[in-house]
Amino acid sequence: MKHRMALLASVTPALLLAALTPLQVSARQTSNPPQKAASTVTDSARGVAHPELWPAAKSKGLVDAKTEAFVTGLMAKMSLEDKVGQMIQADISTVTPADLANYPLGSILAGGDSAPAGGDDRAGPDKWVETARAFRAASLAERPGHVAIPIMFGIDAVHGNNNVVGATLFPHNSALGATHDPALIRRIGVATAQETAAAGIDWAFGPTLAVPQDHRWGRTYEGYSEDPDIVRQYAGEMVLGLQGQAGAGQALQRGHVAASAKHFLGDGGTTNGVDQGDADVSEQDLIRIHAAGYPAAVDAGIMTVMASFSSWQGAKMHGNKSLLTDVLKGRMGFDGFVVGDWNGHGQVPGCTADSCPAAVLAGLDMFMAPNDWKALFTNTVAQVKAGTIPMARIDDAVRRILRVKTKLGLFDPARPFELKDGVIGNAEHRALAREAVRKSLVLLKNNGQVLPLKAKSHVLVVGEAADEIGRQTGGWTLSWQGTGNKNSDFPGATSLYEGIRQAVTAGGGTVDLSADGSYTTKPDVAVVVFGEMPYAEFQGDIPSLEFQAGDKQDLALLRKLKAQGIPVVSVFLSGRPLWVNPEINASDAFVAAWFPGSEGGGVADVLVGDMLGRPRYDFTGKLSYSWPKTAAQATLNRLRQPYDPLFPFGYGLRYADAKPVTVPQLPEVSGVDAAAANIDTYFVKGRNPAPWSFVLRQGAASVPVPGDGTATEVAGALALKPVDAGGIQGAGRQLSWTGKGEAAIAVTGGNALDLTRQANGALSLQVDYRVDEAPAGTVWLISGPGSGTGPATPGALDLTSVLKAAPLGQWQTLKIKLSCFKQAGADLSRVTTPFALSTGGTLRLSLATVRLSANPAGSICPGH
Ligand code: BGC
Ligand code: BGC
């Protein structure tokens, strides 16, 4: 109990205790370490588990005599090729139905960026059904000497069936954790399964059972909680929601799909929260924290488990026999199959994406081989023939896969393609999502009881995120990173602004929308919507918990409104708790809204009261992740000492609180070196946020540019001076090249950046610029290691035609995919110059912004 005292001075412990549900109280009592201690782990035994220390479990309803006899009959007729084919899953961006005639694959998936039939990623459900039908028909085509087995189609339906336009998008898992409501999780599972099945898809790659321990991890929002007990209590519920109850001799009910618990194991325990990193934790912690949800998922009959990209004690999970086979299939009695993660087998030592007997030997049953499935198939068949992989292992894997397909009902001709009108995005599912939004909101501050808003008032809704649905849906939404979405991609969804507008106008008030906080009629109150941009996987990994470390643009907006005497309500969109003390100070009320999904109306339900200002719904959400007091508290967790949060696990204010809580002014020292935290913002609003600065280069000469942009020049070849940009005095820099030799402006100053993984994904270098006088010679844009200028520099892209085409005197935004610089030869693992612009000819050009952008819309590869 002691750590619970570490509260805000003004929040009484009694108040907090009152906020704890029985669920949490009992949870706390059960989170003791296992009784038996592991034998001393020697170095040679690192990464090897001791199954006897693990909790026992048993798959329910997967194995029964009828099913096993059916599978035995099938297997007796299958060739080695038929069997190996079952063990491979290809991505629909690289495989066609026709390929199945030569490669009898067991499964297909649609990756986050993979489009259905016709190639349009924003196509509606009918295209997904068409895709599923075509692959299913091809898998069932009769061919001599081959046993036709229905293919199984999987997708990341992780917050609703989120790849399909028009689907209901539920709040992400970190939000659902705040509801502390296992029954709600089951209902969301049911709705998600229906919308997935209705699109012709058989299998959802969820639930994520990660227990994120370092909130810098970009996948923190995919986990329900930092607390193993919440994950334990949700795991079985989500499985039962998605799959329903598997019964002896009987297939899943219509409208249910197979689930996949992921990522086994320790994905949330990697050092420094590095995605795909190493969980260097004891076996006791692996059991007590990271494995918490798995016994429940297995007991509930989960059909598949996905291996993690990450390592445990240095050993890659895709190759860890003691965990995949001895613990999961042995001790935990898991009778379904283990699927790999996206080319994850290729990371096992000695393996490549197209060859990995070690993973099969370790217990992997199905490779997720998005693009190298052809060679993988050929190599695996050869490895069985050569005796590298014993036939018994293949037979075990294939039996597990066919068992799941049977129990899933894939052999039942009536089972798939259940598209009935009115399933995807229907009113009932949207109402459920809206309820989940209401229950997941956590009220962190409500000084002066500014909330609930009186409906009969004039409300200004502020911020670019307020009416942009893609900002509230987060990653894994229509695209992998959740970026590049427009409101028109979300038919039937409601933005936060729209929800507030409806609620306020229904109560007789008025609402204005303003991206930048300007207004014509002074509002009674401002609701400012801001937060993290969408991200997925490693692209969300951050160096510290400081929000907007490089550029506190939203803070400026809050302060501007507050300075005008307007009460400010902040609605913060984020996947995780972040250090926002300055933003909290600049707000009268502060609501953690997470990534709430498509039903923005749920926010208004709680924020906007009735005409008299009485609440229509109270806040009930309570933190399932501890909120940090400094940006350095990345591993804050109530189960770990010292525990000194700003708002502890379980915190959340309510309108009904007996005694109103006042959050005092908070310290604004982040506790981390802002410079070390800023890897992506190089020049914005007339400043180079630390540690970056501009330098002018010519040959060996290098002249630093003062932070205020004082006129500077190098060797008579290039001069810089401040100019206005975006209506702000001195917010830009104008560069004038004279043609006296190759000269460059560059960003320097920070430690070498490793941008390899950012380049793998959708990240771009964004430059807001204005051509004042067209280039006479070739202009090079550079990002990479070293301090070279001109064409010989690795990573130099020819920007000439882009600049020549730009209208003179008008600001433009240029986004260049980081991968373009890699193609141009830059080693992106040690970038010291994230940006340079170089020419030997004359040119006059102004810069307003230089930064990395997570929004790939409009990105190009100049010169390609
Ligand atoms: C992710 C998984 C996901 C898979 C398929 C991987 O990169 O780690 O969570 O299910 O891709 O999209
Ligand atoms: C896919 C994702 C996958 C990721 C793995 C992306 O291209 O769309 O589904 O998880 O690659 O790196």
Side-chain angles (χ1 to χ4, degrees):
M1 253 347 267
K2 205 158 137 262
H3 54 267
R4 296 212 157 263
M5 302 301 171
L7 310 172
L8 279 178
S10 48
V11 182
T12 67
L15 199 145
L16 239 123
L17 265 185
L20 287 175
T21 63
L23 183 139
Q24 292 160 352
V25 174
S26 67
R28 286 214 321 284
Q29 289 155 357
T30 56
S31 56
N32 293 319
Q35 308 304 323
K36 268 194 267 175
S39 42
T40 319
V41 178
T42 61
D43 239 23
S44 63
R46 275 175 59 77
V48 178
H50 302 77
E52 70 280 5
L53 300 177
W54 291 66
K58 186 65 201 165
S59 289
K60 292 228 171 64
L62 291 189
V63 173
D64 58 69
K66 190 175 153 204
T67 305
E68 298 305 304
F70 175 72
V71 170
T72 303
L74 284 175
M75 286 179 65
K77 292 181 277 180
M78 289 168 80
S79 65
L80 174 61
E81 285 74 12
D82 282 337
K83 289 179 176 176
V84 169
Q86 286 301 308
M87 297 173 64
I88 296 179
Q89 178 185 60
D91 186 86
I92 56 165
S93 61
T94 70
V95 68
T96 64
D99 286 324
L100 300 184
N102 299 316
Y103 297 89
L105 303 185
S107 179
I108 46 167
L109 88 145
D113 283 329
S114 304
D120 176 7
D121 204 20
R122 299 297 187 276
D126 47 336
K127 286 291 168 192
W128 290 95
V129 172
E130 190 183 321
T131 308
R133 285 209 166 120
F135 278 99
R136 178 172 164 93
S139 71
L140 290 174
E142 298 287 346
R143 277 186 290 118
H146 158 79
V147 186
I149 296 187
I151 202 160
M152 183 166 163
F153 186 1
I155 200 162
D156 290 286
V158 296
H159 66 127
N161 189 13
N162 45 67
N163 269 296
V164 174
V165 167
T168 306
L169 301 168
F170 291 93
H172 271 292
N173 287 348
S174 59
L176 296 183
T179 69
H180 296 260
D181 188 345
L184 177 69
I185 302 309
R186 166 114 48 142
R187 292 159 65 208
I188 291 174
V190 170
T192 301
Q194 286 177 3
E195 297 206 9
T196 304
I201 299 169
D202 315 300
W203 180 10
F205 298 140
T208 297
L209 298 181
V211 189
Q213 297 299 293
D214 188 316
H215 306 159
R216 291 173 295 180
W217 186 36
R219 306 192 76 160
T220 298
Y221 70 82
E222 296 186 55
Y224 297 117
S225 177
E226 71 194 18
D227 185 297
D229 288 303
I230 292 186
V231 177
R232 191 194 326 276
Q233 290 172 43
Y234 280 15
E237 297 298 329
M238 188 45 109
V239 174
L240 289 171
L242 288 167
Q243 296 192 356
Q245 185 82 61
Q250 147 210 325
L252 293 189
Q253 301 286 303
R254 294 171 73 90
H256 284 291
V257 296
S260 192
K262 69 187 189 183
H263 309 79
F264 189 83
L265 185 66
D267 50 352
T270 61
T271 305
N272 295 329
V274 170
D275 192 48
Q276 303 192 2
D278 182 28
D280 194 9
V281 303
S282 68
E283 187 168 359
Q284 287 94 330
D285 279 353
L286 197 63
I287 297 170
R288 184 176 63 100
I289 300 169
H290 302 285
Y294 286 88
V298 170
D299 282 341
I302 188 131
M303 291 182 155
T304 76
V305 169
M306 189 184 291
S308 182
F309 275 125
S310 57
S311 306
W312 175 50
Q313 295 184 350
K316 278 282 169 191
M317 278 307 309
H318 278 64
N320 196 316
K321 183 161 191 275
S322 71
L323 285 165
L324 295 182
T325 299
D326 303 341
V327 168
L328 180 60
K329 295 177 179 176
R331 182 76 176 163
M332 289 190 195
F334 171 59
D335 296 325
F337 70 84
V338 176
V339 64
D341 202 344
W342 191 271
N343 280 329
H345 55 276
Q347 298 187 20
V348 174
C351 290
T352 53
D354 64 10
S355 169
C356 191
V360 180
L361 295 175
L364 189 82
D365 301 309
M366 183 185 280
F367 291 104
M368 188 185 287
N371 29 42
D372 291 321
W373 45 273
K374 273 188 191 168
L376 182 65
F377 173 82
T378 309
N379 291 334
T380 308
V381 168
Q383 285 150 3
V384 182
K385 287 186 175 156
T388 315
I389 305 175
M391 198 59 210
R393 180 69 267 277
I394 299 291
D395 281 340
D396 172 55
V398 174
R399 174 170 292 279
R400 287 168 178 275
I401 293 165
L402 296 183
R403 175 187 294 148
V404 164
K405 288 188 173 183
T406 310
K407 301 298 299 193
L408 186 50
L410 292 188
F411 288 93
D412 173 354
R415 149 81 203 185
F417 315 126
E418 312 177 53
L419 185 63
K420 293 172 241 98
D421 283 341
V423 173
I424 293 181
N426 72 21
E428 195 191 322
H429 294 167
R430 289 188 187 277
L432 175 62
R434 183 166 174 164
E435 174 187 344
V437 173
R438 283 197 294 269
K439 292 180 168 172
S440 65
L441 302 174
V442 181
L443 181 61
L444 300 181
K445 174 177 179 177
N446 192 19
N447 286 9
Q449 282 62 64
V450 57
L451 287 176
L453 304 178
K454 245 196 239 46
K456 215 172 159 67
S457 56
H458 181 53
V459 180
L460 186 68
V461 179
V462 181
E464 278 168 10
D467 194 31
E468 207 183 299
I469 296 167
R471 290 287 300 275
Q472 69 198 45
T473 48
W476 296 110
T477 304
L478 302 181
S479 64
W480 176 36
Q481 296 290 324
T483 49
N485 292 321
K486 305 178 296 293
N487 281 3
S488 56
D489 295 325
F490 298 100
T494 306
S495 73
L496 299 197
Y497 157 71
E498 179 56 22
I500 293 170
R501 193 194 63 77
Q502 287 172 10
V504 171
T505 51
T510 50
V511 180
D512 281 336
L513 174 67
S514 162
D516 64 358
S518 56
Y519 52 81
T520 39
T521 313
K522 189 170 178 183
D524 298 317
V525 62
V527 178
V528 187
V529 183
F530 65 101
E532 289 190 288
M533 299 295 286
Y535 53 82
E537 301 192 44
F538 56 89
Q539 293 195 18
D541 288 3
I542 45 177
S544 92
L545 294 188
E546 180 166 1
F547 174 63
Q548 293 183 337
D551 168 29
K552 295 208 185 304
Q553 33 183 318
D554 292 311
L555 177 61
L557 193 54
L558 299 173
R559 285 184 175 157
K560 185 171 92 182
L561 291 161
K562 204 151 162 64
Q564 292 160 8
I566 301 167
V568 172
V569 175
S570 284
V571 177
F572 187 57
L573 303 174
S574 73
R576 51 192 155 197
L578 291 172
W579 185 74
V580 281
N581 281 12
E583 288 81 1
I584 294 175
N585 284 341
S587 314
D588 297 280
F590 198 96
V591 178
W594 318 106
F595 286 126
S598 58
E599 303 316 302
V603 173
D605 286 344
V606 185
L607 262 57
V608 183
D610 65 11
M611 280 160 79
L612 299 172
R614 289 173 308 210
R616 294 181 300 137
Y617 291 90
D618 203 346
F619 284 90
T620 57
K622 295 178 297 277
L623 294 177
S624 70
Y625 286 94
S626 305
W627 205 279
K629 198 174 248 180
T630 76
Q633 290 178 316
T635 58
L636 194 62
N637 191 305
R638 72 183 177 90
L639 301 176
R640 214 168 9 242
Q641 295 299 333
Y643 186 61
D644 185 23
L646 177 63
F647 303 116
F649 179 91
Y651 174 91
L653 305 177
R654 308 206 184 185
Y655 295 141
D657 286 341
K659 190 169 156 282
V661 169
T662 300
V663 173
Q665 184 75 11
L666 304 170
E668 298 199 356
V669 181
S670 77
V672 293
D673 180 0
N678 176 22
I679 60 167
D680 58 8
T681 312
Y682 312 123
F683 180 64
V684 57
K685 298 208 176 84
R687 281 192 324 118
N688 296 108
W692 307 104
S693 56
F694 279 139
V695 63
L696 304 183
R697 291 179 180 147
Q698 208 270 331
S702 173
V703 178
V705 177
D708 61 2
T710 308
T712 314
E713 71 91 42
V714 61
L718 171 61
L720 172 147
K721 66 168 192 187
V723 288
D724 295 355
I728 306 170
Q729 195 179 1
R733 301 285 179 270
Q734 189 183 58
L735 288 311
S736 304
W737 278 266
T738 62
K740 290 194 189 131
E742 189 80 31
I745 175 166
V747 163
T748 61
N751 293 330
L753 300 175
D754 182 355
L755 299 178
T756 3
R757 302 202 62 199
Q758 280 85 348
N760 269 337
L763 246 70
S764 301
L765 176 68
Q766 178 186 331
V767 182
D768 295 348
Y769 71 100
R770 184 183 69 194
V771 178
D772 300 317
E773 197 186 299
T778 313
V779 186
W780 301 96
L781 178 67
I782 301 162
S783 185
S787 56
T789 53
T793 313
L797 297 171
D798 186 344
L799 202 62
T800 321
S801 55
V802 172
L803 297 186
K804 281 198 166 146
L808 287 185
Q810 286 176 33
W811 290 103
Q812 310 285 324
T813 293
L814 175 69
K815 285 184 201 167
I816 301 101
K817 294 190 203 113
L818 286 176
S819 55
C820 310
F821 298 106
K822 187 177 158 199
Q823 283 166 33
D827 174 358
L828 294 185
S829 71
R830 43 187 191 94
V831 174
T832 48
T833 305
F835 163 86
L837 198 64
S838 171
T839 182
T842 55
L843 165 69
R844 193 183 302 266
L845 172 143
S846 301
L847 292 172
T849 306
V850 183
R851 66 178 310 156
L852 298 185
S853 164
N855 182 350
S859 289
I860 56 160
C861 242
H864 282 260

